[in-house]
Amino acid sequence: MEHIKVFHEETIGESDRKLVIRGPLPSEQLRKLTLHPQLDAFRRPSEQQEALVEIAELPEGRIIAALEEDVVVGYVTFHYPDEYELWSEGNMDDLVELGAIEVANDYRSRGISKKLLEIAFRGGQLDNAIVFTTEYYWHWDLDSTGLSVWDYRKMMENLMKNVDMVWFATDDPEICSHPANCLMVRVGKNVPQSSMEAFDRLRFRQRFMY
């Protein structure tokens, strides 16, 4: 499968609050940037930057970043599912995971997440892939936002719907472990039926025998 990567850049905000949304970024450019200290949801910022560099070096990997000069204040990642996840068991070359989306606390409520996703899908560059994300409530920043689990879930669903990602049913044990967890999916318009069938087999493992 060809992993189409079309660079896009857009400036948002006004005067001294301007940010540049840019990507997919090559690894060599990511190495020259600095992650905002509040980008620590997954690991320390310096370690997370190394992880972003590694993802950008993957054939399927892509990083879209929100930049204030040379500081990354938000990002979204795309890559194949981890080899230890059940989603990798189908060995599908057109199944890509939206792995993480994170925005520094001081920059939230400015539409950055929405723009990161819009840039990532712009120009149909992921139309030949099934893009999925697994939403787990234990990853959500409930403390900083003050939202309930259900309000946060609704917020994430609304965010993903901006790029036509919708809720899909699954019997995956981790997702089914809490009713707020969910699977969101976007099926590109150029994805063949055979890939949809393979993805359905990954979504549902507990088949009834007749």
Side-chain angles (χ1 to χ4, degrees):
M1 170 183 162
E2 179 186 6
H3 294 286
I4 303 167
K5 299 181 183 181
V6 182
F7 179 83
H8 291 285
E9 178 177 300
E10 185 171 332
T11 300
I12 63 173
E14 299 177 356
S15 63
D16 60 343
R17 291 179 62 81
K18 284 185 178 180
L19 298 174
V20 177
I21 314 296
R22 180 182 295 160
L25 294 180
S27 58
E28 56 269 22
Q29 184 173 351
L30 280 165
R31 285 193 179 92
K32 298 175 183 177
L33 302 173
T34 302
L35 257 66
H36 193 281
Q38 292 174 350
L39 295 177
D40 58 358
F42 301 99
R43 52 181 68 86
R44 290 182 297 182
S46 59
E47 296 173 349
Q48 183 64 7
Q49 182 172 357
E50 286 301 314
L52 297 184
V53 169
E54 291 177 5
I55 291 170
E57 291 175 341
L58 299 171
E60 83 286 358
R62 61 186 73 213
I63 307 293
I64 315 299
L67 302 171
E68 185 173 60
E69 297 181 348
D70 292 330
V71 177
V72 177
V73 301
Y75 64 85
V76 61
T77 71
F78 296 82
H79 48 75
Y80 280 148
D82 188 278
E83 61 180 333
Y84 300 108
E85 294 181 316
L86 71 82
W87 306 103
S88 70
E89 294 177 9
N91 295 314
M92 298 177 60
D93 63 2
D94 55 357
L95 180 62
V96 176
E97 181 173 7
L98 192 170
I101 184 165
E102 186 180 11
V103 175
N105 293 10
D106 291 347
Y107 294 81
R108 293 178 180 175
S109 301
R110 294 174 59 179
I112 295 172
S113 294
K114 180 179 178 181
K115 184 57 66 174
L116 286 168
L117 290 173
E118 192 275 319
I119 290 287
F121 287 91
R122 183 177 290 181
Q125 57 187 309
L126 283 163
D127 281 355
N128 61 349
I130 299 173
V131 179
F132 77 98
T133 184
T134 50
E135 292 295 332
Y136 301 120
Y137 82 93
W138 50 82
H139 288 163
W140 298 340
D141 189 2
L142 302 177
D143 291 337
S144 295
T145 61
L147 296 175
S148 70
V149 166
W150 299 109
D151 286 339
Y152 205 107
R153 155 81 180 261
K154 184 177 181 180
M155 179 183 72
M156 293 304 297
E157 284 191 356
N158 289 337
L159 173 63
M160 297 302 170
K161 285 178 181 177
N162 285 300
V163 287
D164 299 322
M165 297 188 77
V166 296
W167 177 88
F168 267 49
T170 180
D171 61 12
D172 171 61
E174 273 202 288
I175 293 177
C176 293
S177 68
H178 191 280
N181 296 341
C182 65
L183 173 68
M184 302 287 289
V185 182
R186 178 186 186 271
V187 180
K189 64 181 182 180
N190 299 325
V191 172
Q193 181 63 28
S194 58
S195 292
M196 273 306 305
E197 292 170 357
F199 183 57
D200 287 344
R201 290 192 292 271
L202 290 175
R203 288 196 296 132
F204 295 107
R205 300 303 186 90
Q206 308 301 318
R207 302 286 185 178
F208 288 105
M209 303 299 291
Y210 296 97

